[in-house]
Amino acid sequence: MFELNQKLIEKFGEVALYDIAMEESAELLQAINKIKRHGQSHERLLNLALEIADIEIVIARLKEQFILDYDVNYFKTKKMFELNKIVEVIK
């Protein structure tokens, strides 16, 4: 992925990665909002899957570009710990 990401940045620039990240985030929000407003349908769920795939690719590119794997994993672990604590309180 690193080589691909670097080639894309060389061709389109780093700012394009930011623009793509914002655009894909907005598209994911729209897909979620459609399901919230209109309910689940096969078409809406497929669109959600597509937008999740797009955002996962963009997130991987951002993590790679800024060398954030360690930090992201740290915060994911911390957040999961906090969520587990909340679940325990609810029980």
Side-chain angles (χ1 to χ4, degrees):
M1 178 87 157
F2 179 77
E3 195 172 308
L4 173 62
N5 196 35
Q6 289 308 110
K7 286 180 181 178
L8 289 168
I9 287 173
E10 286 171 15
K11 182 167 178 83
F12 300 109
E14 195 170 277
V15 173
L17 176 57
Y18 307 148
D19 292 339
I20 292 167
M22 290 185 292
E23 180 183 323
E24 295 301 344
S25 296
E27 290 175 3
L28 178 62
L29 288 171
Q30 287 177 335
I32 293 167
N33 197 35
K34 280 184 183 178
I35 292 171
K36 179 183 175 187
R37 285 185 290 128
H38 304 293
Q40 294 181 16
S41 71
H42 181 69
E43 180 182 338
R44 287 186 205 110
L45 291 175
L46 284 178
N47 186 52
L48 178 61
L50 170 66
E51 298 308 335
I52 289 171
D54 287 346
I55 203 74
E56 284 182 350
I57 291 168
V58 170
I59 288 170
R61 290 184 62 199
L62 288 167
K63 285 173 28 179
E64 186 175 272
Q65 181 65 23
F66 299 110
I67 312 168
L68 293 173
D69 274 333
Y70 175 83
D71 296 312
V72 170
N73 286 333
Y74 167 79
F75 287 116
K76 280 171 51 176
T77 301
K78 184 177 178 183
K79 182 57 106 176
M80 291 304 296
F81 180 77
E82 292 168 0
L83 291 171
N84 280 319
K85 281 175 39 178
I86 291 170
V87 169
E88 289 300 317
V89 169
I90 294 172
K91 285 184 182 180

